[in-house]
Amino acid sequence: MSEEHRLPAQTYQRIVLAARPRGQVAPENFRLETATLPTIDDLKINEVVIKNHYLSLDPYMRGRMSKAKSYAEPQALDQTMIGATAGQVVASRHADFLPGDYVSGMLGWTEMAIEDGAALRKVDAVILPLSVYLSVLGMPGVTAWYGIHRILQAKAGQTLVVSAAGGAVGSVVGQLAKLIGCRVVGIAGGEQKCAYIVDELGFDSCVDYKKFASEEELTDSLAAATPDGIDLLFENVGGRIFDASLARLNPYAKIALCGMIAGYSANSDNAQALKNSGKLLTMRATLQGFIVTEHMDVWPQALAELTELMVAKKLHYKEMIAQGLAAAPNAFIGLLSGKNLGKQLVRF
Amino acid sequence: MSEEHRLPAQTYQRIVLAARPRGQVAPENFRLETATLPTIDDLKINEVVIKNHYLSLDPYMRGRMSKAKSYAEPQALDQTMIGATAGQVVASRHADFLPGDYVSGMLGWTEMAIEDGAALRKVDAVILPLSVYLSVLGMPGVTAWYGIHRILQAKAGQTLVVSAAGGAVGSVVGQLAKLIGCRVVGIAGGEQKCAYIVDELGFDSCVDYKKFASEEELTDSLAAATPDGIDLLFENVGGRIFDASLARLNPYAKIALCGMIAGYSANSDNAQALKNSGKLLTMRATLQGFIVTEHMDVWPQALAELTELMVAKKLHYKEMIAQGLAAAPNAFIGLLSGKNLGKQLVRF
């Protein structure tokens, strides 16, 4: 290790889980800490020091904050919050990474981190902005791709509905389905989101669930937007939003169950209660719950296709950017209540 | 047509749908009528006159009594109630059927009927009793076979749970799974049913849902019966019974959704409300709703395998038999509230 790669002892900030939330997530669940980076001499072989530029905030983090058994181990208390990041190498003992290289990884809610190179993905921040590796060309984009191609197997002429349609996953789902030739209807909360979804993302229609006082009104509005029923459903929300789509299912409908954000912060199970579950039977539906990180084999193909579409400017996206690590908790709380339009990021 | 095949003009009884039920089915929804059989001279080519010996009562009939769109057209008012039957040919203008032949078909709640031979299945009532063609060797048995082999693809060592385990479908589901080498747990209502399911059908365990006042108690009891969780679920009931099983799902659990009898007679959708729907996501479950009459291609193989098991006495079954057509409405109402143990039949 040559002298010029030596780093001075350096402090950085990180956010740890201070307490598990009871119901709604609150700022007190998090704690901002100052940590000190080891000197470069302490780096082990293959380790890389990264300075993060962006942190991705995603709904799955809410699940990790709880103790309840889910698809992954709970986030440990007093440890750096889990999260995807994009940044730059500042020091390296790994042959594939040089200072200045752009990388994405799962480094968490932290300004800096040391990581084994095997867990890092080198990305090209020249052709495309660095932040897209946390949205369209990251987990949200691959999630959309997997649901559309592997679960729903969308075909031209089918009607696809996607909830949380303005979010990082939903916006890609609908655009991929449009490229295939589907009729695409989004469900989202708020006029501004619906305008974005139709005018900028090119969906055929968008149902603003906040406009309706009753479940009947919501169902009626979705019925008007899906005159031929629903063949394919990409579900991100659960609860009454999911119920409205269930009521419109066609025979042999397929459902990709990706998220149930409606219930993540609920104190009772009722927020996720499905009243129209009988439709799964009467419409002989197929439903598949999935977590894209369990399907790493599809990532290379998915990322190649998504990159090609991004370079050709066939996929549009929006980012909401919170400034500085300290802003992360409130940005995350906003994401859980649907305040974001497009991908929610934190920039350091 | 020779003289001896001539029939005298003859009356018979049938039951028609008099009115659609509001909530619970009541005797007034049905009307017993006397009809007159045409003389044999009026038979068209390929038509067969059948005298039914048995009528099958099945939960799907409840769905047909409602006007709501489902997988099949609603039962028409003032027409003979739909239903599977087993009986004997009394006259025939079809080359494949002779008087005396045993047949099963969908002739409805009626003592006699005229049917095109193409819609009849000739059955062997010598090796096995005629009534089994309405249970293990009829729609219920093929339903169980399809769920076990085509949807759940049950394998030795997996834990399978089946609800309405003492019923015509559930009892075959559990026995087929035991033959494959699964650990099999039934859910049923009542001590007598559970004793039958364990002692006579050979299930590993049975949870009596009527014993528990709260959903927690039910879930705890099911947890004790499924120490390794649930890999495969054959769901016949829906509502809180389904919820209890959802709470025990293992990662990648498969669910064959065959019935939701809990909600069939409900005035509100709440009887079918699923509180634990989030488990479908967190456990990355696959759920498939199905109707076995849409999979006619599997019937020959399924019936061949089931017949072989029946002849080898490897499948056990029980029948509850109501006497005479007039007893059908009350027997059906009993079936919907879970009063039957095994297959509910009406004998004429």
Side-chain angles (χ1 to χ4, degrees):
Chain A
M1 189 60 39
S2 66
E3 267 308 302
E4 65 262 26
H5 286 159
R6 234 174 239 283
L7 285 181
Q10 194 172 347
T11 61
Y12 64 97
Q13 293 199 299
R14 64 178 186 182
I15 287 179
V16 302
L17 180 62
R20 302 197 186 280
R22 297 165 188 273
Q24 303 290 332
V25 175
E28 307 83 75
N29 298 131
F30 305 96
R31 186 174 63 242
L32 189 69
E33 290 185 347
T34 299
T36 305
L37 207 67
T39 63
I40 189 72
D41 299 326
D42 296 330
L43 276 192
K44 296 190 194 73
I45 183 78
N46 289 333
E47 280 188 339
V48 179
V49 181
I50 304 104
K51 191 164 166 31
N52 288 326
H53 295 336
Y54 291 99
L55 163 67
S56 172
L57 296 178
D58 299 278
Y60 76 84
M61 295 166 172
R62 176 61 186 85
R64 303 292 180 89
M65 293 174 77
S66 296
K67 228 165 72 182
K69 187 185 162 192
S70 182
Y71 50 85
E73 286 301 302
Q75 160 77 43
L77 283 170
D78 302 318
Q79 296 297 311
T80 305
M81 277 289 298
I82 190 175
T85 51
Q88 248 179 317
V89 173
V90 290
S92 170
R93 287 197 65 197
H94 192 293
D96 295 344
F97 297 94
L98 291 176
D101 282 351
Y102 289 97
V103 292
S104 71
M106 291 294 292
L107 306 183
W109 295 28
T110 180
E111 292 173 335
M112 300 192 76
I114 295 173
E115 178 75 60
D116 189 287
L120 296 172
R121 175 163 71 110
K122 220 186 311 197
V123 299
D124 182 338
V126 176
I127 311 176
L128 294 165
L130 180 61
S131 59
V132 302
Y133 297 100
L134 298 178
S135 59
V136 184
L137 300 185
M139 193 263 286
V142 180
T143 298
W145 187 95
Y146 188 85
I148 286 286
H149 289 289
R150 295 299 167 97
I151 296 181
L152 301 178
Q153 297 168 28
K155 287 175 187 58
Q158 292 184 306
T159 296
L160 176 140
V161 167
V162 55
S163 55
V169 174
S171 58
V172 179
V173 167
Q175 291 181 88
L176 290 178
K178 280 304 294 177
L179 289 169
I180 288 167
C182 294
R183 174 178 170 79
V184 176
V185 177
I187 304 179
E191 268 180 50
Q192 189 203 354
K193 279 189 194 172
C194 273
Y196 162 68
I197 285 162
V198 172
D199 299 341
E200 296 186 47
L201 299 182
F203 288 27
D204 295 286
S205 181
C206 182
V207 172
D208 172 9
Y209 70 83
K210 289 197 174 162
K211 255 175 52 184
F212 307 110
S214 71
E215 290 171 29
E216 285 70 24
E217 279 178 32
L218 173 59
T219 305
D220 290 349
S221 173
L222 187 60
T226 58
D228 300 325
I230 298 175
D231 301 305
L232 308 172
L233 174 61
F234 194 107
E235 185 57 45
N236 288 313
V237 175
R240 71 185 191 103
I241 306 289
F242 192 4
D243 259 335
S245 291
L246 286 176
R248 293 295 300 159
L249 289 190
N250 282 334
Y252 316 113
K254 290 185 198 166
I255 302 170
L257 183 58
C258 174
M260 297 188 99
I261 196 170
Y264 292 177
S265 292
N267 282 310
S268 82
D269 292 331
N270 289 324
Q272 280 183 188
L274 284 189
K275 292 185 183 174
N276 292 333
S277 60
K279 286 283 177 182
L280 297 170
L281 172 61
T282 57
M283 293 299 125
R284 294 84 88 204
T286 306
L287 176 152
Q288 169 86 62
F290 76 109
I291 306 293
V292 78
T293 46
E294 294 183 335
H295 304 280
M296 294 313 292
D297 56 308
V298 310
W299 283 60
Q301 184 188 349
L303 288 172
E305 291 185 23
L306 291 165
T307 302
E308 197 176 318
L309 291 170
M310 281 295 284
V311 171
K313 298 195 184 306
K314 287 186 177 163
L315 289 178
H316 304 277
Y317 66 101
K318 246 196 170 63
E319 293 170 345
M320 283 203 33
I321 297 184
Q323 201 56 49
L325 184 62
N330 279 326
F332 180 60
I333 291 165
L335 171 75
L336 290 178
S337 63
K339 291 218 177 95
N340 61 306
L341 179 55
K343 177 65 203 169
Q344 180 66 58
L345 298 169
V346 181
R347 182 160 50 203
F348 302 139
Chain B
M1 193 56 44
S2 64
E3 268 307 303
E4 66 264 24
H5 286 160
R6 233 172 239 283
L7 286 182
Q10 196 174 345
T11 62
Y12 64 96
Q13 293 201 299
R14 65 178 187 182
I15 287 178
V16 301
L17 180 62
R20 301 198 186 280
R22 295 165 189 273
Q24 304 288 333
V25 176
E28 308 81 75
N29 298 130
F30 304 97
R31 188 174 62 243
L32 188 69
E33 290 185 346
T34 299
T36 304
L37 207 67
T39 63
I40 188 72
D41 298 327
D42 297 330
L43 276 192
K44 296 191 193 74
I45 185 78
N46 289 335
E47 280 188 338
V48 179
V49 182
I50 304 104
K51 192 165 165 29
N52 288 328
H53 294 335
Y54 290 100
L55 164 66
S56 172
L57 295 178
D58 298 278
Y60 75 84
M61 295 166 172
R62 177 60 187 85
R64 304 293 181 89
M65 292 174 79
S66 295
K67 230 164 68 185
K69 188 184 161 193
S70 180
Y71 50 84
E73 286 299 303
Q75 161 78 42
L77 284 171
D78 302 318
Q79 297 294 310
T80 304
M81 278 288 299
I82 190 174
T85 51
Q88 247 178 319
V89 174
V90 291
S92 169
R93 286 198 65 197
H94 192 293
D96 296 344
F97 296 94
L98 291 176
D101 283 352
Y102 289 98
V103 293
S104 70
M106 291 293 292
L107 305 183
W109 297 28
T110 181
E111 293 173 334
M112 300 192 78
I114 294 172
E115 180 74 60
D116 188 287
L120 295 172
R121 173 163 71 112
K122 220 188 307 199
V123 298
D124 183 337
V126 176
I127 310 175
L128 294 165
L130 180 61
S131 59
V132 301
Y133 297 99
L134 298 178
S135 58
V136 184
L137 300 184
M139 191 263 285
V142 179
T143 298
W145 187 97
Y146 188 86
I148 286 287
H149 289 288
R150 294 300 168 96
I151 297 181
L152 301 179
Q153 297 168 30
K155 289 176 186 57
Q158 292 185 306
T159 296
L160 176 140
V161 167
V162 55
S163 55
V169 174
S171 58
V172 180
V173 167
Q175 291 181 86
L176 289 178
K178 280 302 296 177
L179 289 169
I180 288 166
C182 294
R183 173 178 170 81
V184 176
V185 177
I187 305 179
E191 269 180 48
Q192 189 203 354
K193 279 189 195 173
C194 273
Y196 163 68
I197 285 162
V198 173
D199 300 340
E200 296 186 46
L201 298 182
F203 287 28
D204 295 287
S205 180
C206 182
V207 172
D208 172 9
Y209 71 82
K210 289 198 175 163
K211 257 175 49 185
F212 306 111
S214 72
E215 289 172 29
E216 285 70 24
E217 281 179 31
L218 172 60
T219 304
D220 290 349
S221 173
L222 187 61
T226 58
D228 300 324
I230 298 175
D231 302 304
L232 308 172
L233 174 61
F234 194 108
E235 185 56 47
N236 288 312
V237 173
R240 72 185 191 104
I241 306 289
F242 192 3
D243 261 334
S245 292
L246 286 176
R248 293 294 300 159
L249 288 190
N250 282 335
Y252 317 112
K254 290 185 198 166
I255 302 171
L257 182 57
C258 173
M260 297 188 99
I261 196 169
Y264 292 177
S265 292
N267 282 311
S268 83
D269 292 331
N270 289 324
Q272 279 181 190
L274 285 187
K275 291 184 184 175
N276 293 333
S277 60
K279 287 283 177 181
L280 296 170
L281 171 61
T282 56
M283 294 299 126
R284 296 83 86 205
T286 305
L287 175 151
Q288 168 86 61
F290 76 108
I291 306 292
V292 77
T293 45
E294 293 183 337
H295 305 280
M296 293 312 293
D297 55 308
V298 310
W299 283 59
Q301 184 188 348
L303 288 172
E305 291 184 24
L306 291 166
T307 301
E308 197 176 315
L309 292 170
M310 281 294 285
V311 170
K313 298 194 184 307
K314 287 187 179 165
L315 290 177
H316 303 277
Y317 67 101
K318 246 198 171 63
E319 293 170 346
M320 284 206 29
I321 297 184
Q323 200 57 50
L325 183 61
N330 279 325
F332 180 60
I333 292 165
L335 171 74
L336 290 177
S337 62
K339 292 220 176 93
N340 60 304
L341 178 56
K343 177 66 201 166
Q344 180 66 59
L345 297 170
V346 180
R347 182 158 53 202
F348 302 139

